[in-house]
Amino acid sequence: MVLRWGGRLAMVSAILTLPLFVISLQLDARGGRSILIAQLLMQISSTLIFVVLTGLLRSFLVRNCLFRGADRPLFFLILLNCVYAAFSSMALLDPQSKEQFQTVLMTLVVALGMLQALFGYLLRRMENDLGGFKRAFSSLNVFTGVCLASLVLIPVGVLASAVADVMLATIFFREVDRQGHLPEDSPEP
């Protein structure tokens, strides 16, 4: 049940990623209270979706003993994403300090990209093939991370992240189907 919900959330994330990215770029050029509220809501919602999806992935990998090496990188991805959201929100709320926060925000994006790439690299060592998606999913995570860390290729990284979300949804849905076909008396892996 949780994985089915996670798969749906991953699809929602994939669908919303590009429009939210484009809208946030357009809103940066404007001002006003309603624009600020919209930006804060987008920041909070995208952070919540990321935290929940990454937490579900971490739980799925660790609970099923698929890959314990995912634990730390995913924990730090969640932590850094929350820190980024906090600094980004502070920059939105205090426009005079926005330039001061730019360096911190760029450093956090580079760190997030490097962690994402590390997670993708470590994922390759996992024995389970994630329903045939391990190689592609790990490669997309490496690619996304490299694009984010470069700062110049962030739009490409955002697109790759949306594709990775679709892949994650498929992994979750396939696992739900696989668990549905397990014999009643056999323990779950």
Side-chain angles (χ1 to χ4, degrees), residues 22-178:
V22 170
I23 290 169
S24 71
L25 291 177
Q26 291 174 344
L27 291 179
D28 273 346
R30 299 180 184 167
R33 185 170 172 82
S34 60
I35 300 297
L36 172 66
I37 292 170
Q39 287 176 312
L40 286 171
L41 287 174
M42 286 189 315
Q43 180 67 50
I44 291 167
S45 62
S46 62
T47 300
L48 283 174
I49 289 171
F50 179 85
V51 167
V52 170
L53 278 178
T54 306
L56 284 172
L57 176 60
R58 180 184 167 274
S59 175
F60 167 69
L61 293 173
V62 172
R63 183 183 65 241
N64 293 308
C65 299
L66 298 178
F67 185 54
R68 294 220 185 267
D71 197 28
R72 278 197 176 162
L74 290 176
F75 170 76
F76 284 114
L77 274 171
I78 290 171
L79 181 66
L80 275 180
N81 202 288
C82 290
V83 170
Y84 177 86
F87 275 101
S88 179
S89 297
M90 286 189 292
L92 287 170
L93 292 170
D94 185 11
Q96 285 80 21
S97 66
K98 189 172 185 171
E99 286 184 32
Q100 296 168 337
F101 285 120
Q102 273 316 85
T103 304
V104 173
L105 291 171
M106 289 186 340
T107 302
L108 287 168
V109 169
V110 170
L112 281 164
M114 290 169 42
L115 267 173
Q116 187 82 30
L118 174 65
F119 168 68
Y121 175 76
L122 292 174
L123 199 60
R124 291 175 182 242
R125 290 195 267 166
M126 183 174 70
E127 289 181 27
N128 186 296
D129 74 344
L130 296 175
F133 286 101
K134 178 181 84 169
R135 182 180 213 135
F137 187 63
S138 66
S139 296
L140 266 174
N141 276 281
V142 170
F143 182 73
T144 300
V146 169
C147 288
L148 293 177
S150 75
L151 296 177
V152 177
L153 297 173
I154 287 177
V156 177
V158 169
L159 179 60
S161 173
V163 174
D165 283 345
V166 171
M167 204 168 288
L168 180 60
T170 305
I171 290 168
F172 283 165
F173 290 143
R174 283 194 175 183
E175 182 63 18
V176 168
D177 288 345
R178 190 191 68 76

